[in-house]
Amino acid sequence: MKVVVFTKQTFDTEAKITLDDQGKINPEGVSLIINPYDEFAVEEALRIKEKTKGEVTVVSMGGPKAQDVLRQALAMGADRAVLITPELEEMDEYTTATILARAVSRMEYDLILGGWRAIDDGSAQVAGRVAEILGLPVVNMVIKLEIDGGRALATREIEGGSEVVEVPLPAVITAQKGLNEPRYPTMKGIMQAKKKPMEKLALSDLGLTAEEVVPKVRALKYFLPSPRAQGKIVPGEPAEAAAALVRLLREEAKVI
Amino acid sequence: MNFDLPEELQDIKRLARDFAVSEVLPTVDADDKAHRFRRDLVEKMGELGFLGCVIPEEYGGNGLGYLALAILAEEIARVHSSLRIIFAANTLGPAITIWRHGSEELKQKYLPGLTSGKLLGCFAMTEPNAGSDVASMKARAVLEGDYYILNGSKMWISLAPVADIALVYAYTDPSQRAKGMSAFIVDMKSEGITVEAITEKLGNWSSPVGTITFENCKVPKENLLGREGQGFAICMQQLDNTRLASAAGAVGVAQACLDAAIEYANTREQFGQPIGRFQMIQDMIAQMCVDIEAARLLTYRAAFLKDKGVPNTLETSMAKLFASEAANKCADYALRIYSAYGYSEEYPVARFFRDAKYYQIVEGTSNIHKLIISQDALGYRKANRSS
Ligand SMILES: Cc1cc2nc3c(=O)[nH]c(=O)nc-3n(C[C@H](O)[C@H](O)[C@H](O)COP(=O)(O)OP(=O)(O)OC[C@H]3O[C@@H](n4cnc5c(N)ncnc54)[C@H](O)[C@@H]3O)c2cc1C
């Protein structure tokens, strides 16, 4: 069984996000991690590999630093990695999905896994778009996955319960929290990762041009949540203070 | 000259931090207050290969080296100083010493357990009346047939209350002074061993320490490391190694102090502004930053020399001295910055303050390291000699 996993490098969940003078998200000094939902996908791929004597290829698109997440996946046990560095100024989900779909179409695969969303932009579109381009079924937000011959049985959360769906392979499956508990890489795994193949591709290696992947959506503006305003203490005798508080809630905060 | 950590060491640092934050941090406060030693965490560290850095693969290690070990020890100590002890008690104490001086049978028997964390080790030189003056120890081992009969009592032995095996130093021929000392691997379940825990101590509460009394304890003669009379040299070499883990641990504690101090200085407000805006707080933060950086670089250098396999007693001493003093200065400063809240058990700074003290005492007090360094500089006694 050959499994391809999409892994994105995202900001650390603890990172403090700031904007630069152009109003863009400032990547300086922010520590980067593997998108946690993609980590579930990597873990699931490794479990499938261990059961079926399969092979796991991890694919990431991003800058050269994205190698770090690929090395982590290799250290966890993936067999090979593909790093795509398109070097584009502007990208959207269409851009990403077009490039990833093209990259995967050059590979052999029975299953494509990814996180259901990235914790940074949170659009939850890429896996679905890739499935559409490749003409594959897609199951989102999966919390349990069983592979049986040429089919996948996937359990997904739905409002108020769970649903079990069956799809023929190859298929695209996206991971939700709860699918598994990702392993840590081991020291040995970290050493072995160095020796595993990492293919590096530019846009032109995939036969694509920048014009073909021009984004269809453009972010107009980023802004940070307004800082929490200072609390206010209403002084005075309890009865008076309560009356003053109600007045403030009604007139100033306009919440009652 | 190159100050970049190779990629695999960056990955190891990330892994160690991730492990410490996800597995150790959530319960660190409760564990420490309950004086709980987490054997399960040691085993998890063993499974990931944390304890096998300087042991070759054929014996269950991974050969990643001393620098990898220093990085791991720092990141673990940064979250819980007590847990760091395992890098000394297993890897740099008994394991590497068995690997260097033990027979093939001893290596097969003990190294896989020590590197996987399934076995817990300890090392025992200190006695009630022999601290810095290691050679003044009284423990005796007398060969009778196939066994050495061991008598004596060791004190302040980290992990003694939980250890499966001990690296023990004792005299086989006291008339020869230091040249009559020998080193043994002792099974802690042997008859004639009594262990008593030292339960009331200042810090490192989750790292149990105890007294071991040997009363006609029979040690198989195959458990001698090296030859009779090599014990003191083996001991000095072992200290050279375990000191690296202390230095790294001290850097970790110092870093924890700085992390906490920065967070607090940015949030605590007095006189209408965050206290970090006061120059006197900035002065402390700056000093902490520089001390930690210097301590870490000295520690990395000592590790680097060990990986190169060249004499490094002097550099290791410098790292151990500077890092343990830095940890104490940083703990002091963090406590000043936290002030009353640092004095309270609600924040971890009080724990850092207690735990930092340990590093000035073990594996050569700060004074002993000053002796090693100054005597070398003055030309009285060269520190680095190839062994
Ligand atoms: C928590 C803890 C864990 C420990 N774990 C272990 C362990 O696992 N195994 C083990 O064998 N030991 C262990 N020890 C013991 C430790 O190694 C000794 O405490 C240390 O070597 C110092 O000995 P001492 O405390 O007896 O001090 P002493 O040697 O009595 O020294 C007292 C004071 O005199 C100073 N001094 C001594 N000699 C000189 C000199 N020549 N010049 C200048 N000043 C000098 C010292 O610096 C110190 O300030 C542990 C100790 C502690 C506290």
Side-chain angles (χ1 to χ4, degrees):
Chain A
M1 181 105 175
K2 292 188 162 61
V3 188
V4 173
V5 190
F6 295 146
T7 53
K8 181 181 184 183
Q9 189 173 44
T10 57
F11 287 177
D12 194 337
T13 40
E14 316 259 289
K16 215 167 160 192
I17 306 297
T18 55
L19 299 180
D20 63 18
D21 349 329
Q22 265 98 56
K24 293 242 169 84
I25 296 165
N26 187 357
E28 285 306 311
V30 175
S31 66
L32 302 167
I33 58 167
I34 181 169
N35 175 38
Y37 296 103
D38 297 348
E39 205 177 355
F40 298 133
V42 171
E43 176 62 35
E44 199 61 21
L46 295 175
R47 291 184 189 192
I48 292 168
K49 165 186 157 165
E50 282 154 8
K51 270 194 214 130
T52 63
K53 295 210 168 49
E55 193 187 89
V56 175
T57 304
V58 284
V59 181
S60 188
M61 197 179 93
K65 281 234 82 180
Q67 273 186 73
D68 292 353
V69 310
L70 291 175
R71 272 207 322 281
Q72 182 182 337
L74 292 174
M76 287 167 76
D79 300 283
R80 43 188 225 100
V82 178
L83 174 69
I84 308 164
T85 46
E87 292 181 18
L88 297 168
E89 284 286 304
E90 304 276 339
M91 297 203 275
D92 69 352
E93 293 80 4
Y94 163 78
T95 313
T96 308
T98 307
I99 296 170
L100 288 177
R102 180 64 67 91
V104 183
S105 65
R106 301 155 70 247
M107 303 175 192
E108 276 182 64
Y109 59 88
D110 304 297
L111 177 65
I112 298 172
L113 293 174
W116 78 273
R117 68 179 185 112
I119 58 162
D120 50 5
D121 55 29
S123 74
Q125 290 188 30
V126 170
R129 282 173 175 269
V130 170
E132 180 65 21
I133 297 170
L134 298 174
L136 301 177
V138 56
V139 188
N140 272 331
M141 299 179 78
V142 168
I143 52 170
K144 188 173 172 215
L145 182 62
E146 283 167 78
I147 304 295
D148 182 16
R151 314 179 163 280
L153 268 186
T155 308
R156 50 190 300 276
E157 280 176 339
I158 54 173
E159 187 59 38
S162 316
E163 174 189 51
V164 182
V165 297
E166 189 188 87
V167 284
L169 296 180
V172 175
I173 306 269
T174 69
Q176 164 67 312
K177 189 177 164 70
L179 179 61
N180 53 45
E181 189 62 49
R183 70 195 66 186
Y184 292 100
T186 63
M187 301 286 278
K188 223 181 228 167
I190 287 175
M191 271 198 304
Q192 285 164 347
K194 282 203 299 188
K195 298 187 198 108
K196 291 181 179 173
M198 174 151 354
E199 194 182 359
K200 293 180 185 167
L201 301 175
L203 209 50
S204 57
D205 296 320
L206 294 168
L208 287 169
T209 61
E211 292 72 54
E212 285 172 275
V213 294
V214 170
K216 299 180 188 289
V217 175
R218 177 164 300 123
L220 297 179
K221 191 177 167 198
Y222 293 98
F223 52 92
L224 298 170
S226 47
R228 208 153 52 98
Q230 277 271 318
K232 190 175 256 177
I233 292 174
V234 185
E237 290 298 311
E240 281 167 37
L245 175 66
V246 170
R247 189 180 53 77
L248 287 172
L249 286 174
R250 196 187 301 265
E251 291 169 15
E252 241 175 61
K254 298 195 170 67
V255 291
I256 53 171
Chain B
M1 215 38 184
N2 182 355
F3 287 92
D4 291 334
L5 279 186
E7 254 170 20
E8 72 265 23
L9 291 178
Q10 292 174 35
D11 291 346
I12 284 168
K13 192 168 168 73
R14 203 174 301 126
L15 166 64
R17 177 68 181 157
D18 202 20
F19 177 86
V21 169
S22 313
E23 309 289 328
V24 186
L25 187 63
T27 52
V28 64
D29 234 23
D31 287 339
D32 204 69
K33 291 196 170 112
H35 295 223
R36 194 183 298 126
F37 174 67
R38 293 286 304 274
R39 193 169 183 148
D40 59 322
L41 285 179
V42 169
E43 281 192 37
K44 272 194 191 169
M45 285 159 66
E47 275 164 30
L48 294 177
F50 284 15
L51 308 180
C53 288
V54 295
I55 304 296
E57 237 174 292
E58 59 209 284
Y59 300 111
N62 52 53
L64 268 156
Y66 289 91
L67 186 48
L69 186 145
I71 288 168
L72 291 168
E74 176 189 332
E75 290 299 341
I76 295 297
R78 183 175 166 194
V79 173
H80 202 184
S81 170
S82 289
L83 188 57
R84 178 223 61 101
I85 187 63
I86 200 64
F87 292 101
N90 270 30
T91 314
L92 293 180
I96 185 78
T97 311
I98 291 172
W99 181 67
R100 287 218 175 115
H101 304 284
S103 63
E104 186 55 35
E105 288 83 83
L106 284 184
K107 291 183 202 178
Q108 302 276 3
K109 189 168 175 191
Y110 294 120
L111 294 182
L114 288 169
T115 52
S116 66
K118 297 237 154 47
L119 281 181
L120 293 179
C122 66
F123 56 86
M125 51 201 104
T126 307
E127 297 183 358
N129 295 314
S132 302
D133 185 5
V134 175
S136 71
M137 68 171 63
K138 291 280 175 288
R140 277 282 269 145
V142 179
L143 186 62
E144 280 182 21
D146 288 340
Y147 294 91
Y148 283 95
I149 307 300
L150 186 57
N151 278 289
S153 94
K154 298 290 178 184
M155 201 175 174
W156 288 111
I157 308 308
S158 297
L159 296 199
V162 292
D164 302 297
I165 66 157
L167 164 57
V168 180
Y169 298 92
Y171 277 105
T172 39
D173 183 357
S175 69
Q176 302 231 35
R177 290 288 291 154
K179 292 220 154 53
M181 192 188 288
S182 300
F184 302 91
I185 294 299
V186 180
D187 185 333
M188 291 295 282
K189 282 179 226 57
S190 317
E191 261 179 60
I193 295 184
T194 329
V195 176
E196 235 178 293
I198 299 170
T199 51
E200 305 210 317
K201 60 184 196 298
L202 178 67
N204 278 281
W205 286 344
S206 294
S207 167
V209 170
T211 304
I212 314 177
T213 311
F214 300 97
E215 241 176 307
N216 296 322
C217 173
K218 281 165 80 177
V219 181
K221 71 170 197 260
E222 309 83 75
N223 284 21
L224 173 73
L225 296 180
R227 282 175 282 108
E228 271 189 29
Q230 283 187 325
F232 191 74
I234 292 175
C235 181
M236 292 302 117
Q237 193 187 50
Q238 183 234 289
L239 282 172
D240 248 359
N241 284 325
T242 41
R243 276 166 191 165
L244 178 73
S246 287
V251 175
V253 171
Q255 182 68 51
C257 293
L258 176 63
D259 296 341
I262 288 173
E263 196 189 314
Y264 194 73
N266 274 327
T267 46
R268 173 73 173 175
E269 292 192 4
Q270 286 297 289
F271 299 99
Q273 54 183 331
I275 58 170
R277 294 278 168 202
F278 301 128
Q279 280 191 3
M280 281 187 256
I281 302 286
Q282 291 171 0
D283 170 58
M284 288 194 273
I285 298 281
Q287 290 191 51
M288 291 165 88
C289 287
V290 178
D291 272 21
I292 291 167
E293 207 64 38
R296 184 177 292 123
L297 287 173
L298 283 172
T299 303
Y300 281 8
R301 181 181 62 166
F304 170 83
L305 293 174
K306 287 180 201 294
D307 281 327
K308 250 173 84 171
V310 299
N312 56 74
T313 301
L314 178 66
E315 292 79 3
T316 306
S317 247
M318 288 179 171
K320 159 70 167 67
L321 171 65
F322 192 82
S324 44
E325 293 303 326
N328 280 275
K329 182 165 142 190
C330 290
D332 178 33
Y333 283 8
L335 212 142
R336 287 169 198 256
I337 291 171
Y338 270 71
S339 206
Y341 294 94
Y343 203 74
S344 116
E345 286 294 326
E346 202 181 316
Y347 290 90
V349 171
R351 166 163 57 87
F352 302 155
F353 189 81
R354 288 192 298 271
D355 289 357
K357 272 288 151 207
Y358 162 92
Y359 294 96
Q360 289 172 319
I361 301 171
V362 295
E363 285 139 25
T365 61
S366 287
N367 280 4
I368 293 303
H369 291 291
K370 287 178 187 166
L371 272 183
I372 293 172
I373 296 160
S374 62
Q375 295 194 347
D376 180 272
L378 290 161
Y380 301 161
R381 192 169 190 278
K382 276 289 148 210
N384 285 349
R385 280 159 294 171
S386 26
S387 41

